[in-house]
Amino acid sequence: MLLENQAADQRDKLAAQYHAVRTQTLKICQNIAIEDYVVQPCAEVSPPKWHLGHTTWFFEELILVKFLKNYTRFNEQYKLLFNSYYKSAGKHWLQSKRGYLSRPCVADVIQYRKYVDEHMAICLQKVGENAELDFLFMLGLHHEQQHQELLYMDIKYIFGVNPLFSAYENSHREKARKITAKRQNFSEGIYKVGHTGNQFSFDNECPQHKTYIYPFQINVNTVTNEEYLAFIEDGGYEKPSYWLSQGWDWVNASNIHAPLYWQQENNAWYEYTLYGMQLLDPHAPVTHISYFEADAFAAWSGMRLPTEQEAEIFLQQSAMTKQSPTEVRLHPLQAENMAGEVWCWTSSHYSPYPRFQTFDGMVTEYNGKFMSGQFVLKGGCVVTPYGHYRHSYRNFYQPEQRWMFSGVRLAKDL
Ligand SMILES: [Fe+2]
């Protein structure tokens, strides 16, 4: 009887979690117009409609097709359209051509979500009976939360490359306050990094392992707009000595002079934010910079980027800023003693931890196959969903990418 009650509690909890995550995804899209759902301004930015379909496809393909007897797909063609990159799940539509898809209509995709949600409610009754199903349920929810963050990034990019610079959020944006720079020292020794325990994590965060750290100092605060502006005004983008070779080529080939979304007009700097085009806030963390820019800034400062291990050791004793699931703040404000404002670049190549093992089955492709040519970012950001943050979380992007909420926290050897 006790076990039965426990299983029922687990199902109720999961049902509530499922409902909350699926509803939140739709809520993020409430502030956009129907025309915004299909735009794909560059290959890596997906149309919001595609995110709505893909997160649904994930539950359908991973759970319903396998665990629900006699399940019929909502539409057999969606198997191809909404598969992102899972080769073991069959053919997939090309990422760079997601914006070609005016059909299915947004209304069809919303129907698809409802259909899958109804069938997931039936499947939920089996939770607790099968460990694989339990795991895939959680994975599907965390996957959808990743796409919630991507939705904010992609909507910002879609609005930010349009000269109308529309505001996604119309409420008043707070200004960041000036903070006193603080530094923290860590002594030489063996530290533990990576995920441990029974709570969910992605495969790339495991296993927890020991790492040897040399003495280092790390800035508690992340680099501010004001500090980054000093780098620009000192000719930072014109001096090759600060730049990695590939970074220098990228800056010149792409004609880069400032972070993404920065604009100079009549000697004043502006930044496009989800609150619209705003005068640059000097004390807010610099955001939307590439690995190359973060590294060049560090070189100009006479410091360096932390390794991912150093960044995680620092985060382990820091506070998380996001206080509640309902809090709306779509622009980083300050970084005093905090994690969760901007993803911070690290100097670490994204590669497997010692004794790393991928997830099994179709989701063996989830993280492991991307372990080349990318760098790790740590710490979460303002649009990371509540409950999705972990100190052990390893985000990863290519060194020239900057449409995510990326910033920099500096370190140095002691
Ligand atoms: Fe995905």
Side-chain angles (χ1 to χ4, degrees), residues 214-258:
Y214 290 90
F216 73 100
Q217 184 177 82
I218 189 161
N219 289 358
V220 170
N221 50 301
T222 58
V223 171
T224 63
N225 286 331
E226 189 175 48
E227 290 165 330
Y228 199 83
L229 193 54
F231 166 67
I232 297 179
E233 288 174 345
D234 194 38
Y237 281 86
E238 281 94 53
K239 294 178 187 163
S241 55
Y242 300 134
W243 295 82
L244 291 163
S245 174
Q246 278 186 358
W248 184 244
D249 290 347
W250 169 76
V251 157
N252 286 291
S254 315
N255 203 17
I256 306 284
H257 301 288

Side-chain angles (χ1 to χ4, degrees), residues 186-202:
F186 287 85
S187 50
E188 183 173 9
I190 295 170
Y191 293 81
K192 283 183 183 169
V193 294
H195 179 81
T196 186
N198 298 327
Q199 297 298 309
F200 177 86
S201 82
F202 290 110

Side-chain angles (χ1 to χ4, degrees), residues 25 29 47 74 118 170 218 220 238 256 268 275 327 339 344 367 372:
T25 307
C29 296
F74 179 77
E118 281 162 18
N170 285 310
I218 189 161
V220 170
E238 281 94 53
I256 306 284
Y275 296 83
E327 184 185 25
C344 289
N367 280 309
S372 76

